[in-house]
Every structure is written in C-alpha cells, then in structure tokens.
Amino acid sequence: MTENPKLTRKDFASDQEVRWCPGCGDYAILAAVQRTLPKVGASLEKTVVISGIGCSSRFPYYMSTYGFHTIHGRAPAFATGHKLANPEVDVWVVTGDGDGLSIGGNHLLHLLRRNVNLQIMLFNNQIYGLTKGQYSPTSTVGKVTPSSPLGSVDQPVVPVRFALGAGAKFVARGYDVSKKLGDVLEASYRFQGTGFVEILQNCPVFNDGIFELITDRKTGPAYQLWLEHGKPMVFGKNSDKGVRFNQATFSLEVVDLGGDITEADLLVHDETNRTLAFLLADMPNVVALGVLFREEGPVYDESVRTQRKLAEDKFGTPDFEALMRSGHTWTVS
Amino acid sequence: MTENPKLTRKDFASDQEVRWCPGCGDYAILAAVQRTLPKVGASLEKTVVISGIGCSSRFPYYMSTYGFHTIHGRAPAFATGHKLANPEVDVWVVTGDGDGLSIGGNHLLHLLRRNVNLQIMLFNNQIYGLTKGQYSPTSTVGKVTPSSPLGSVDQPVVPVRFALGAGAKFVARGYDVSKKLGDVLEASYRFQGTGFVEILQNCPVFNDGIFELITDRKTGPAYQLWLEHGKPMVFGKNSDKGVRFNQATFSLEVVDLGGDITEADLLVHDETNRTLAFLLADMPNVVALGVLFREEGPVYDESVRTQRKLAEDKFGTPDFEALMRSGHTWTVS
Amino acid sequence: MTTPSTHLREDLDSVVIRFAGDSGDGMQLTGSQFTAATALMGNDLATFPDYPAEIRAPAGTTYGVSGFQIHFASIDIMTPGDAPDVLVAMNPAALKVNLDTLKRGGLCVVNTGAFTKGNLKKAGLEANPLEDGSLDPYRVLALDITKMTLEAVKEYGLGAKDGQRCKNMWTLGLMFWLFGRDRQPTVDWLKQKFKKKPVLADANIAALNAGHIYGESAEMPSGIGTYQVPRAELAPGRYRNIEGNQATAWGLVYGAKLAGLEVFYGSYPITPASSLLHHLAKLKHFGVTTFQAEDEIAAVCASVGASYGGQLGVTGTSGPGVALKAEAIGLAIGVELPLVVCDVQRGGPSTGMPTKTEQSDLLQAMWGRNGDAPLAVLAAATPGDCFYMAIEAVRIATKYMTPVILLTDGYLANGAEPWQIPDLSQFEPFPVNFRTDPEGFHPFVRDEDTLARAWAVPGTPELMHRIGGLEKHHDSGHISYDPNNHHKMTKVREAKIAGIQKDLPDAKVHLGEDSGELAVVGWGSTYGAIHQAVEQVRASGKRVSHVHLRHLSPFPPNLAALLSRFDEVMVPEMNNGMLDKVLRAEFGINAQGYNKISGQPFYIGELVAAIEARLAGKNPNQMYDAHGSAHGAEA
Amino acid sequence: MTTPSTHLREDLDSVVIRFAGDSGDGMQLTGSQFTAATALMGNDLATFPDYPAEIRAPAGTTYGVSGFQIHFASIDIMTPGDAPDVLVAMNPAALKVNLDTLKRGGLCVVNTGAFTKGNLKKAGLEANPLEDGSLDPYRVLALDITKMTLEAVKEYGLGAKDGQRCKNMWTLGLMFWLFGRDRQPTVDWLKQKFKKKPVLADANIAALNAGHIYGESAEMPSGIGTYQVPRAELAPGRYRNIEGNQATAWGLVYGAKLAGLEVFYGSYPITPASSLLHHLAKLKHFGVTTFQAEDEIAAVCASVGASYGGQLGVTGTSGPGVALKAEAIGLAIGVELPLVVCDVQRGGPSTGMPTKTEQSDLLQAMWGRNGDAPLAVLAAATPGDCFYMAIEAVRIATKYMTPVILLTDGYLANGAEPWQIPDLSQFEPFPVNFRTDPEGFHPFVRDEDTLARAWAVPGTPELMHRIGGLEKHHDSGHISYDPNNHHKMTKVREAKIAGIQKDLPDAKVHLGEDSGELAVVGWGSTYGAIHQAVEQVRASGKRVSHVHLRHLSPFPPNLAALLSRFDEVMVPEMNNGMLDKVLRAEFGINAQGYNKISGQPFYIGELVAAIEARLAGKNPNQMYDAHGSAHGAEA
Ligand SMILES: Cc1ncc(C[n+]2csc(CCOP(=O)(O)OP(=O)(O)O)c2C)c(N)n1
Ligand SMILES: Cc1ncc(C[n+]2csc(CCOP(=O)(O)OP(=O)(O)O)c2C)c(N)n1
Ligand code: SF4
Ligand code: SF4
Ligand SMILES: [Mg+2]
Ligand SMILES: [Mg+2]
C-alpha cells in the first residue's frame, strides 16, 4: 500500500462520540492509531478493526474504517477468518487483558502460532473495565476488587511472555500516552505476520495509576527500557543505567553505568532471539518497551493461499460435472 | 500420604477392558501410572483421575480409582473445581495434544498460572486419535492428514514452551515407553502445585513412528537429554555429548566431549531457571527430558483456603440471622 | 396513583419519582438514599435503576443519562410505577430523555445551572426546553442547583469538581423536604462513606442540609408544597431493602446450609450477573468458595467438578454465558450431579442490550442443549423472591441430582424492594445423604422415589467409580452402546425431571377465580405489573385471573387442569413469545402472548390496555407494535 | 421383503445382508465393495455402517464389533432394511451381537476358524453357539474361512497377520458368488489400493477368487444356493453412490457457485461431522478455503469473519459443537450475515453416543440461543438429498442474510445410496449482489421484499461501516439503547425469517391423500423408513398419509392448513419428542410423537406397528418403551 498523502488523522475518526470515561488511556491509544494509519499509507476502505468485548473493544466504533465489534474473547478468530477471506485489507485486532487473555486466551495462542498477517493491540489495564472493576488475569496478586474483596490470589499472566511461549513472531510493548506508541504500532503493521503489541493502559476509574511510575514524565525514564535492535541496552534519565547478562544466575541485571561498567559490558538487543525476549518480558523493576522480538517466518494466510494455488495447479480448472462423475458411476437406461 | 505397602500396580487397574488400539503408547503410560501410584503411597479412594475427550482421555475408565471423563478440553477446569472442593484427594488430569492444546489451551494456561496442586499429563501424539487422524496443534508443518491433504500449514505449539510462557511452575517431559517415566510422574506428584508433564506418545494407527528416533533403544541415546538439577548436561550412548551455552548467539549448542571440550565447559542444569528451561524446551535435534523447570510458589488451592480462614478470623462465626439484619432494617408492627 | 395537583395537598397515596442525571451525577446513590429513607418511613416501595452500558459515558450526552425511579406508597405496590409524578433532571440530556414519561401536570425539578449552551448541544437540543414551552404541561421547579451547591460547600475549600459533586446531595435534601423524609440516616451514611476524608463528608452534609433549608425557606412557585405519604400497611416484622442478586446469593448460601453443604460458586463477570459473584465473594466465612474463572465454560466446569467433590456447585451468568455453558450443563445432566445455574437475563440476541432487562432466555433454558437433555427450570418473581427460589433451586438440585436453571433478570437483579426478613425456623432442612455404603453400590443406582442416583464423593472408601458423558449402562453404570439401554436411560432422565412435579406446590391463582374468561399467566419479574394490571381490570368486573409461575420445568401439577378452565390464556412477557410456546407445546392449549421487547419492564397501564384488548377479542400485540411503549405508557 | 427360504430360489426381490466382524476384520471395506458391485448390477440399495466408538477396540470383544448392513432390491427401497436375511459373522463376538437381529430361517455365514476358546471367552460366551443349538432357527454355512484364506494366499509368502487380513476378501468372493455379482471392479480397486505393494493386491485377489471358487465348487448344505436380485426400475440416468457428508460438501460448493461466492469452511473435527471437513479440504481448487480451527467457537467465529469478508461462511459440527457455537450464531443473527451451520446429529445428551445416530438437536437448532434469535432450519431426508438441501441452505443464507442450520445426522452422513447425478442446468443461479453504491447506504438498510440488509464487504470504497452484537438503530445502524427501537428490531428479525416462508415450496404429501385419519409427519433421515411403513399400512386400506418436512424454520406455507385436515398427527422421531413439540407450539395442533432413542434408525416393522397402534387409539410409545427396539424389530 502506498503512502496516501491526502488522509489525515481526522479522516480516521468516525462521527460517533467517543464514550470512554474522561481520562481513560484508551483515548491516547485511539489517537496514536489515528495518527499512525495515515502515516503508513492505510486507506479507510481497506482497513478493518475487529474487537471483542470490553471498554477497549468499543474501539471500532470510533474509527471511520470498517469495523466489527464481535463477542467476548473471539476477535482473533473472526480476524483470522476475515483475513483469509479478504486478504487485501489490513486487519487490526483490538482486545483487552480480560478479552484477550481470560476468555480469549486460546484464540490468541492459536492466532500467534499461526502467524496470520494482522496486528493485535492488547490494552492491558489489569482490570475488567466494562463490567466494573473485577480483577483480570493480569491483575497483581493481592488486588482488591469487588470479586476479590480480600485480594486476588491468582498469579498474573505476563502477556508478552505468554506470547513468546505461544510462538509469536512479533512481540512488542508500549503504553497509552507514550510518544513512541505510534512507532511501535507502525513496526507491527510493517511486520509480515501477527504483530502482537501489549499496550499498558490506565483505567482511571477502576485501576488508576498502576503504571504511573513507569509512565510519569519524571519517574518514567528510570523504569523504561526502550529496546533497539543491535544497540546496547541503555536507559535512565541520563542514559546512566544499563542491562547486563549474568551467566552465573542466567538472568538479566540492571547496572549503573560509569565507574567499572561501560556500554561495552551491556547486553546488545537482538530482536531475533526469542530467549532474550523471554528474559526481557518480565524484568523486575524495569519495563522493556519497543520491539522485544521479531522473526520473519511463514505467514499463515499466505500459506493457505499458496496451497490453494497448488491445488489449482495440481487438479486443474474445477469441473463440477467431473467431480460428480468421479469414481464408480453407472448408467440406468 | 504415607506409603501404603499393601497396594500394587494391579490394584490400580479397573475391571474394564482397555480399549486402545494394539500397540498404542497409551498402554505404557497407563502402566507407568499404575506402577507409580502404589510407589508414592497413593490410595484408591483418594485418587481422582479427570480427563477430557480423546483416546488418551479414556484413561480414567482403566483406573480403579475415582474418575471423571468430562468434555473436550475442559478437564483443567473440572479438576480445579474438584481440588478446591475436595482438597484431600490427589487429582491427576489426563489430556491430549488436541484436548489440552487445541480446544483446551485456555484452561491449561489458566490452570498453569494459578498453580493448582495437581498433576497434568499431556499425551502428545501430534494427532487427533479419536476422531481418526486429523492434524493437531503439535503436528509438524507439512503433515498430511484427512483434514490437510496437501499438508498442514500451521506452525506447531511446543507444549513445554507454552507452559513456561504461561507461568507454569513445574514443567517436565517424558515418553510413553521410557523406564524413567515413572520417576518423572513421581516428581510431578511430589511437587506442590501444578505438575505439568508432556508425554511423547506413539499412535501406531494415525501417526506411527514419529518419535522413533528418540525412543528407539539404539538411536535414542543420541537424542535424549535427560536433565538432572545441578548436573552438567551430558548425554549420548557413551555420555560423549554435552550442551553448552553460546553467549554470542544466546542459544544452546550440542558439543562432542573429548578433545578441547570437557564437562566443565558444559551447562549445568538449574531447574529453577525459567529461561534456561525455555531454551531447553525446543532444542534442534535433541529432546530435553525429565524436569525442565521447578519453582516453589504459592499454591492456588491453598491460597483460596487460607483466604477463607482469614475471612473466618476476620468476620467470625457465620450468623445468617445477623447477615440478613445487617445494614438498614426497620420494624413494622 | 394520585398526582400532586396544582393545589397544595398534604396526603398522597403513592408517588413515583424519577431521578435523572449524568452518569457522573451520582443519581444511583441519590436514589438509594431516598429509598433507604423512604423504607424507614414505613412506605411500601419498588425501585428501578436504569443506567447506560458505558462505564462513564461523556458528560452531557443523552446516552450517558443515568436514571433511578422509585415508587413509594401507603398502599401495597409492586412495580416502580409507570409514568413518574416527579422528575428530577440534573441536566438537559436527562430532561430530554425523560420528559416524555412524566405525567401531565407532574412536577419537574430542573437544575438550570447545567443548561449551558454546551450541554444543550451535547444533548442534541436546538432550543432550550426551559424557554421554548416544552415544560408548559408540567409544574416546574427550575433552580440553579449547581450554584447553590457550590455556595453551600464553599467553606470546605473543595475544588470546583469536588464541590459540584455535592449537587446530588443538595437535590436529595430538597426532595427530603418535599416528602418529609428524615435526613439522619443519610448523614450517618455519608460519615461512614467518607470516613477517611471527613471534609467530603462535611461538604456533602452541608449540601444536603442546604437543599432542605432551601425548601423550608424559599418561596415556592404556586402548586408546589410539601407532601406526605402515610405508612403502608405492611405485614408486621423486621424489614430491609433487598436487591435480587443479593437475595439470590443469600438464598444459595442458606439453601446450601439447609442441605448441609458448602457452596462453590464458579463464575465469570457479566452484566447483570456480576454482583452475584461480588455478594458471594464477601461470604467466604459462610463456607463459600468463589472462583472467578477464565470464562463461562471454565466456570460451569469447575462448579460441576466441585459438585463431584461434594460441594454444591453453582454458576451464575447472563444469556451469552448460558449459551457458552450449554455443553457442560449437558454433561451435568448426563452424569447426574447437582448444579445450580443462575441466569440473570438481559436484552438479546447476542450482546444485545447488556444493561437492559428481558425474559428472553426461557427457551434456551428449556431446550438449549444438544440431545435430549431435560433439567429443572425455576423463575423468581420479585427481588425478595430470589431468596426463596434460590433455596428451592438448591433443594431440587440436591434431592434429584440434577442441574437447575434459576431465571432472574436485570430488573430483579438491581431492583430493590422492602423485604420482610424471613423467620429462618420456617425452613425445613433437606440434608444431603452422601453415599458411603458399598453394598449394592454402583454410580447409577437410583432412589426409587426420586430416581436420583447415589452421590458418592471421591475420598469415600470402597465407592471408587468412574463417570462421564458417554451413555452409561442403567444397571452397572459402565459405558454402554446398547441401543435399548440408551432408550431406557433417556426415558429415566426424562422421568426423573418430570417426577419433580409431585414435589411441587400447585400453581396459585394470585388474583381472581380458578376459572373464567381469561387467565393472565406470567413468570419472572413481570409479577408485580401483571398483578396490578389484573387487579385494575378486575375492578371493572371482568372475569380475569392472574396465575404466576415460579416452576417452569416441570410445571406445577395442577397447571394443565387449571388453565383448561379458562376460555383464554394470555401470556405477557418481556420477550417475543416464549412461555406461550411452551404452554402450547406442553398442554396443547391456546395460549397467546403479549410481548414487549424494549428492555424495559411492563407499565401497568400497558398491561391493562392489553388485557382489555384481549377481552374485546383484539390482538394487543398489534397495538403495541404500532405505538411502542414509552408513548403508550400514559394509558 | 422376501426371505431366502429353505428351498433354492433363483429370484429375490430384495435382500438384506449384514457383514459383522472385528474392527480389524475390514468389514466396512467389505461392505463398500459389495455395495459398489451391487450398484453396478442396477439394484436399488441402501447401506448402514455401524461401528464402535473406539478406533480399534481389542480384538474379539463385543464392543469391538463392526457392522455394515446393505439392503438391495429390484424394487424401490429406502432403508438399509430391518432384520437381515443374511448375517456374515467373522468371529464369536460378531455372532453374539448380531444373531438376535437375523430373520428366523435366515442364512448365517460363520467363520469357524475364529471360534477359538480365547475368542469365545473374549466375547463373553460360556458355550460355543456353533454347538449349543443357538443356530438352530437359522440356515448355517459354517466354514473355516481363516484356514481357507491362509491356504489361498500362502504362495505370496505373507506373514500370518497379513495373510489373515485377506479373510474379508475371501468372504466377499463367496458372497459375490452367492448373489452373482461381478468381481472385476473389486479386483481393479485392490490393484489401485495396493499399487505400491502389488503382492498384497495379488494375495487379496487370490483370496477373493478362492472364496468365489469355493462357492462354485463346494457342496453346499441343503437350502443354500445362488440367488439373483433383478435390476431395479430406476429413473434413467447416470448414477453413483453418495454418502451424506460428501453430498453436503458438494452441495455447499455448488450452492456457493450458484451464489457466485467462494466457500470458507471453518470447522473442528467431531464425529460424525469430520468427513465434511475432509471432503471440503480436497476441493481447494473449487475456491474452497478450509480452516481447521482450535475449537468450535473459533470455527464459527472465523466463518462469520469470512462472511463479513464476502465469502460464504460455513461451519460444520455435531451437537456438542453446536452448543458451543450458540453465542456466535447469535452474533451472526444480530449482525445479519450469511452463515451455514451443518449439524450432523449424533446420540446425546453430552458426549452421548458419538458414533450413533439421533435427531435430538432440533430444539437446540430452533431455540438454543440467548435472546430472541430466530434463524432458518433445514433438514435433509437422504444422503443424496444433502446435496439439494445444502444448496438450499446457501440460497436462504445469502438471499436473507441470515444463519441457516442444516440438520443431517450420523446415519445420513455415513450411509450411502445410489444417487442419480443431477443435471446441473436445472439449478437457477442466485447471485449475490454486494452493495457498492454509497447512495443511501447504511449497514441496516433492507431489501423491502426479503428484509435482508445490505452486504457491503470491507475493501469497498465509501461504504465503511461498523457492525456488532449490541442492538443497532433500525435506521442508522448505530448502537441504540432506545426501547422502541429494540422492539422494532426484534420484530424485524422475526419477520425476516418468517418471510422466508413465501419463498418455500408447499409441504408435500409424499404418500396418500391431503386429508384423512392420520398424517405421519417426519423430518430428516427417517424419511425412507416412514415412507415404506406408511406404504405398508396403506396397503391394508388405512387412510394414512406421509408428510415429510425439509424446511423446519420457517415451515412450508401450507403446513398448518394441511395438517388441520387430518384427524390426528403422528410424529416419529429418533429422539424423545421434538418436532411434535414444535408443531404444537406453532400450530396448536395435537401432534403426538413416536419415539425411539436407541441410536439406531427406525425399522419399518416398528413403524408399521406403531402406526397401526395409533390408528387403533393406542399409544405406541408404551409398546416401544416396554419392549425396546431390537426385539420389536421382527414385527
Ligand atoms: C460471553 C461474555 N462473557 C462475559 C461478558 C462480560 N464482559 C464484557 S467485557 C468483560 C471484560 C472486559 O475486560 P477487558 O477485556 O480487560 O477490557 P476493558 O474493559 O478493561 O477494556 C467482560 C467480562 C460478555 N460480554 N460476554
Ligand atoms: C466439543 C467437542 N468437539 C470435538 C469433539 C471431537 N473430538 C473428540 S477427541 C478429539 C481430539 C482428540 O485428540 P487428542 O486430544 O490429541 O487425543 P488423542 O485421541 O490423540 O489421544 C476431538 C476433536 C468432541 N468430542 N467434543
Ligand atoms: S472503565 Fe476504565 S477502561 Fe473503561 S472506559 Fe472507563 S477508564 Fe477506560
Ligand atoms: S488411534 Fe492412536 S492414540 Fe488412539 S488408541 Fe489407537 S493408537 Fe492409540
Ligand atoms: Mg482490561
Ligand atoms: Mg493426540
């Protein structure tokens, strides 16, 4: 698809009033998507947004593209069918931590391993927003909610780690109000296959401020490890921290640069290494952001189409008469 | 539970004739379980086997213990409910690659992250046995089956990698006819939490011999990497091969011992390291067997019970009268 | 139903107030406080919260309007009322959405402070209704509540936002004055609520008082004065307000106690069932385990697993969730384990209208499974009745070793009614006898009387057995493909459910004779509306009776005979016709539906008109379909 | 139905043979080869494969017995026959399981070589039936087939195991001789099958010939000779054998072609629906995409996603899978997209009897969803009819933008019948017109006639729109919580489905007059058995007619009027009573069921007895429930 210079962010906004709560992180994500689409040259008619159910899944209504607000947890399946049937369109899947990882975890697993060519944005606010605040599969242990009045006892899923275990070939992370979110989304769009992006999202109503340390302008730099392929892992306000691999413990550790330790001691990000991404997925005290993992590989919808062509080559022009007359037949006269 | 010297393997066999195909790997697994249970001191009445649907899931009928043959893919959920309601019993879940990873993938994910205290045996024959041989989520790309006449185009799930991504705390692998299968099962039993064991299983009818190189007495040793915590990773018929970590590629490599390379160069298995287990999950040409990963941690059913006690302590003896009279009440006379 | 007239009148029999405002305006809180105060005054009452699907829709929009209707009276009432006598509109959108329903001559309290240009636009209003004559048919109390509230709370130094938030308390204070309700319980409640931020408590109390004082001191427009609704004649006893889901939760816990079991509640949040989970999660010390599962399928499966383990497996959800649970409910039928499935119905099909009420899962409950898969179906009539029907569900599930679907709906779930706290000694325990005797045991030995199979819990010595979803031999319990055995087992499963009928009370004629021209047959939350409608029609001498069903599968023993004594049977439902189908299918009688599928409860007026139409030989549905509900309401 | 008598008779009108042996004995292959040869002889025929749920149950056990029944005749037949005239029993278990069904005086061919002590024990037989007089009522041909087979193939040097495997071909050779069938097609087939292992082909052919030669040359016991079944009078044309699932698959593909669409088939394997997936997976070059999903929910969702993308979304499964798909089917109803759901029914409830047939998903298909969620339901009558009904399903789904459930069952799915290859020019195309015109477009603009909404496929310029499961405004298509709108939309969805009726053919009276004493109303795979039973009863002068339904929702336009012209309506079903319920619910008529829930098709004899009982004012179900089927069969 070529750059379409005529479209702007506003063109991607539908005429429906946005109905999220004031201050919801979803607004920023919507804006990032609406900014990114014209940038990557997407067209209105060739863009389809498919979602499940949840606050986040209202997303398609606010886009002026095609959209399908489906049922809870199943968006990956609808999207797979749609992409197979209608390969010319760009498919964006929107889901939440409940929609995508609770009821929909299995479909996500199979979408990721199949590597269908589409993008999936998982809005992780660590809560069920739409049903008014129950804990979700990404909520932390101890979380007090109406369904866990004494605190949740469920160990949370780490979405990015789950995706890597599932065999995902593009795994990235961003957050709602991040300036770089558009870049991450663009990278997922450019990837041939399933581009999985976890987006940390603030729910001011039911789970306010859980990512504040990370996303706050002041405190954020000390927690945000933005990854760049081939670059050493440096972060911090003054680029004064780094990440090193400790072979003895077989784990990553955060170090202060300066003194004995220089950039040369740091781990260089290799986005093609699944194990490294796995390590980065769940670091204590630091959140790895950007593209954690990217591996080119067979794209499901292409393979399906290729196989259909193969069948056409092998069996020739379909002839329904001939099909019905294949095998034993006999004539009664 | 204390050793019960009176029970033998035969006591764990039900009076129902076993109805698997001749030569099916399931027989060997059944035997391993029936051998292991008396060994670990299990009793008949305190053992419950819960399965989904599939050839493998017929398992409970052949055990003289309690058993529940449920519906396709949902055994983890039944088992979770059962264990929460009936904590005194040992729960063993039996599932297949289709049952556990296709339709049931989500329940498996959530069972594993919750870490319910039970054992789950996933019989992986890389095929749907009971429905007569369609490819499964673990089938290799290119697999020709009735539902993939031109070969499957689905990238397979790696069960053990999936489990690690899901947050499982005990992850092991064995194979049907292995003498050590009983030990692996015993380890899963002793583990407090969900003991996940993938068992490579031959289906002579629909997928014969796919693991032959690995399980064959002659060729096997060159493919089997049996792991032992704290021991260097040596394998091969004459213990002449080993596994080394290559930090440059951030991956494992198989090396021949002798010459420059000695045991000291080899990686030492640390079963508490999830990343190492992740690397071992999916090695080319070698199959890691035994306990890949084990991490003690909060056990779901215990936490649930603890919280109930907490509530009892906090709110005192339940008084239904008082409950109904709580809040605003008024009297009409 | 008396309307506050243009002349000052002290005594009213019954009043309907509708509080309406933005989602952020705190209308649900205002409503509940008014309800609590009203209950304390000894009025009978019924409420109807009605809020949008969005958590917090953008301020000022029509779809962000949140409403709370309360009906209170000195007489026995059963519905939140048709058209309100009083409308409190906190902003233009609330006025726009609700004005239509206000009775002519009714009182309209408007917060003029919110009638800004911006808000008018957000509400999609071209002209200002305060100025364009729209309010002419009503008595209007137009006050700048915003300004007066800010004035009242200014000494507490709150920001504008927090200050504005006290508007609802100002309004409540005014309404308390208007209807002579006591402020103290609300004051206490505010203190409790803002225990950690006393300044907010103080500010809200100040606003409450200011509203009251305004009423006391301000010069009211003519036609507006203070009213009084005398105490209702309620049966003597201790009362509380109760919402349906709360009552269901309590009934489950108490039913389990009567059965001698602990409750296992497996569920996945869904509107309007979620609060069942919330209520039960608070009752862990009552022997309740709640399990928030990854989805509805896991929820029901875990509950069946718990039943196999000797607890009372319960699962709760709404329509889409019941659909997902169908396969597992079939398994519970096949393995004959107790299970209670609470279906808090909402508007369908598919996601439909999640926050709106409907009765459209009846056929799904009856027949929405593969194979011949009968089970018991119950339905609660009022919020308080949920308590009794939950106990009944537990009783049937455990006595007959069967799944039971308990139907309630969004209206019952969230609606509150004053509820006489039951005397617990009235309940006969129905303890479960777990099988422990190995003599003659196999998993499908049955009680001769109930046909229930034995319940043997893993852990019990010598009763080891296997169960599963494949057909089982009627005698040994082993898997069986024997054709005659399958026939036999299907018939046994049918007979077991049919046999519950012997154990049920007869269907009651709630009003009228047990024969006549027309039986109006209802089920579920339409009870109150139908009752009052039939009462009104009967007042004009018509031979109409009201029959209400709480047992839908099987039906009460006398039902066929009872209905056959009426010339016609009319079935009003908040769906497109379901019970009428079932009655025809079961009894071959000519039952005709009257159907409203608007996500809103019936108005009494609608039903009166419909019954009269039916008596006159007309089809009331045509009437309804043509005019719709909101407008027919004033009839 | 003529029985081979004790005297040699050349000509027979009709013969029923049942091949029975161990799962490993190759009975299904033997049956299909006999079927193919029989079809070539110009007989009419019907078959019934009946095999265990286990893939390969342990040799020698009764539950490992695999059977294949074929009915062939010179007359028009429609069922695989009631009691067999000939039973081929390859081992003791096969004899034990099937002997009961053999007609008295029927021919029993037994492989004595398999009657070892071990096998007798495995079959649970105390005494050897060859010796204890069990076979006295029959004509017996007891041969050591094992030995003779090994003899015949010994020159090929196969191991004992492979050698023994040729037993079935030896037996087939003998049966070919007995009924004068041509060996050549089987010889050709063996050569093709064992192309890569010619020695196996040779050995099997040798066994086949040896069996034939044995018949030619051996001295047969008295009463056993060669028979001949003359050609049937079939309509002239080209014929083939077809199984139901194959016909459904082809019908879907051809239906899509008529609609101008490509097929997207999303499915998850399940008995007995899996072969739909297998057949379609082979037709990729016909524009078919098959998607083996991770479960049934994903399968249906992907198909709906594909329909949104402009292909024909189809999903296929059996009862438990339909239960899982209910929620998503509701969404397809809500968003009004075409979808074909093939439900190949099997024994329920729950997992039930996966390899046995049943009709017990009818109510689930009609009403098994949350909310008011109407859709179209069709049912095929015979294996070949699956082709036509699949096309009809595509036509209705695309013309009315609606999900359609096509009911078939295990018996149709695997049963074969000779099928006249249709003349494709008879089919009128029904091309889909995708919306491309932006003028006046919104997603819920409807065709005035069909009420179908516009189908606008993503990628189409200027038609961008959003759909979803929340209620939509009838006019703009936007989300709407307006009460009247929901009522209206529910009524429109109902009217759209009801309106399909205008487009349907009248219900046909397949036999008899269009009024009378009794209408026997059937649907689905019971067509043949009911037809022949009614024919027999009519032969005795009774005023009975046969009405068969292929459209179940909506019903054919004339159905109510037609049925009202009969004194009584009887509904035989392989379930516990479903269509009778629906007929009562819809038309208020007094339809009564006759129900067999054994996982087995009806026997004609049973139905004749049942119809006669009904005519005599008795309840045939009581008869059935008391005696069961297998034994009543000889009636
Ligand atoms: C089958 C079904 N089950 C449950 C629900 C209720 N439900 C709607 S959204 C939701 C969870 C939403 O959480 P999440 O996906 O995290 O989205 P968020 O609202 O936080 O953006 C639930 C449980 C439903 N609509 N359908
Ligand atoms: C809801 C449902 N869907 C599908 C099926 C059909 N089915 C039974 S077992 C099975 C797959 C079995 O594969 P696997 O779990 O690998 O077990 P195996 O037979 O190979 O041991 C399927 C698809 C079913 N019984 N229920
Ligand atoms: S509830 Fe939370 S996630 Fe949902 S719209 Fe409101 S702020 Fe956003
Ligand atoms: S089909 Fe395969 S997995 Fe199933 S019983 Fe037979 S050999 Fe075992
Ligand atoms: Mg969320
Ligand atoms: Mg398998």
Side-chain angles (χ1 to χ4, degrees), chain B residues 17-18 58 72 102 135 147, chain D residues 54 58 63 268 278 292 294:
Chain B
E17 199 153 356
V18 185
R58 293 289 179 101
H72 198 31
S102 195
Y135 68 100
S147 59
Chain D
E54 286 75 25
Y63 50 82
Y268 184 70
H278 306 168
Q292 180 176 310
E294 57 271 24

Side-chain angles (χ1 to χ4, degrees), chain C residues 290-340:
Chain C
T290 54
F291 172 60
Q292 180 176 311
E294 56 271 26
D295 65 11
E296 284 86 354
I297 301 177
V300 63
C301 292
S303 298
V304 174
S307 284
Y308 184 51
Q311 291 193 344
L312 174 72
V314 183
T315 189
T317 184
S318 188
V322 174
L324 287 167
K325 289 175 202 280
E327 190 202 7
I329 294 173
L331 177 68
I333 292 170
V335 297
E336 303 187 40
L337 279 170
L339 174 73
V340 176

Side-chain angles (χ1 to χ4, degrees), chain A residues 45 50 58 84 94-95 110-111 137 162 178 184 196 207-208 215 220 237-238 251 267 296 305 308-309 312 314-315 321:
Chain A
E45 68 260 25
I50 299 182
R58 293 289 178 100
L84 285 170
V94 177
T95 184
H110 291 279
L111 172 65
F162 164 76
S178 163
V184 177
F196 175 79
N207 216 8
D208 196 26
T215 60
K237 196 159 196 163
N238 308 308
S251 60
L267 202 54
E296 303 295 332
R305 277 196 302 281
R308 225 177 94 173
K309 289 217 190 74
E312 283 161 13
K314 194 166 162 180
F315 304 115
E321 282 291 350

